[in-house]
Amino acid sequence: MPGENQPILAAAYGLHQDIRQWSSKDNELIAAAKRMAMLMARLSQLVRGEGGNKKDLIDCAKQIAAASEEVTRAAKKLARECTDKRMRTALLQVCERIPTIGTQLKILSTVKATMLGAQEPIPSPDGSEIQCGSEEDQEATEMLVGNAQNLMQSVKDVVRVAEGASIKMRTDSGYKLRWVRKRPWYT
């Protein structure tokens, strides 16, 4: 269980808790969401300076953005096969914000990476300098945390709506998305 000072890890853990009940076999949406939760946990470590370097932080953010595109693609594919107009619309609405948040995550991670581990001040576009550990550094971290939390919540929303929409799928489409609950630990 993540601590209070680990908000990105807490968001990843929350997503993992929501989706761990589902098997990722024959469900590309769940597989991509699980990958995102694991990558987000790694991002949390990198932001806190626990291993890795600037390049690792940026690469991790890119991988998260790629996984978020997979979630969006799978959700849109499901929406095309959904026969219920309201459910289809709801699914498209919740998945449309994911690409934007994923792109923002890449940008914010790059900004944070420039400040990571720097002892010397960083020049800013207006000619002033940004001190690491400064207000700007803290602000970049806070924006990254807020973005990560929004992304994890959006993926949770997509999974929740997709589960309902998959009930109203056209059976003749050939598209299969299986929602198989894993067996609980106590059985």
Side-chain angles (χ1 to χ4, degrees):
M1 187 76 185
E4 280 183 36
N5 62 341
Q6 300 172 322
I8 296 175
L9 185 61
Y13 181 77
L15 174 62
H16 178 73
Q17 288 299 100
D18 276 15
I19 61 176
R20 75 180 208 171
Q21 66 181 320
W22 302 110
S23 169
S24 55
K25 185 175 190 268
D26 296 328
N27 191 324
E28 59 187 322
L29 182 65
I30 294 298
K34 284 182 178 180
R35 202 166 26 263
M36 282 185 76
M38 298 303 289
L39 287 166
M40 195 61 76
R42 174 74 179 131
L43 183 74
S44 174
Q45 290 176 323
L46 293 167
V47 168
R48 289 193 320 269
E50 296 174 7
N53 56 29
K54 295 175 185 190
K55 184 182 181 322
D56 294 335
L57 178 61
I58 293 168
D59 287 345
C60 186
K62 284 181 181 177
Q63 290 174 339
I64 291 168
S68 70
E69 288 170 11
E70 287 178 47
V71 167
T72 303
R73 186 182 42 72
K76 284 182 176 179
K77 193 173 179 181
L78 173 62
R80 281 193 300 272
E81 303 303 331
C82 183
T83 58
D84 186 292
K85 187 179 178 184
R86 284 186 313 194
M87 288 180 148
R88 179 175 50 242
T89 303
L91 183 55
L92 289 171
Q93 283 176 340
V94 294
C95 82
E96 81 180 5
R97 62 182 177 236
I98 290 178
T100 305
I101 299 170
T103 301
Q104 289 171 350
L105 181 78
K106 286 193 294 190
I107 294 166
L108 292 169
S109 295
T110 304
V111 169
K112 180 62 184 167
T114 61
M115 298 177 179
L116 198 64
Q119 274 70 34
E120 297 176 23
I122 301 163
S124 68
D126 65 2
S128 64
E129 292 182 334
I130 300 172
Q131 299 291 326
C132 288
S134 67
E135 193 176 318
E136 288 90 352
D137 186 27
Q138 187 61 36
E139 216 172 272
T141 302
E142 287 171 10
M143 289 190 326
L144 183 60
V145 165
N147 179 274
Q149 290 170 332
N150 287 340
L151 185 57
M152 294 293 97
Q153 185 58 51
S154 294
V155 173
K156 280 187 200 178
D157 294 345
V158 165
V159 169
R160 181 182 41 79
V161 175
E163 179 189 357
S166 66
I167 295 167
K168 298 282 189 169
M169 251 172 54
R170 288 187 17 232
T171 54
D172 63 344
S173 70
Y175 180 61
K176 290 190 171 103
L177 193 66
R178 294 184 60 211
W179 293 87
V180 179
R181 285 197 193 273
K182 288 184 175 177
R183 292 184 63 188
W185 60 270
Y186 52 83
T187 58

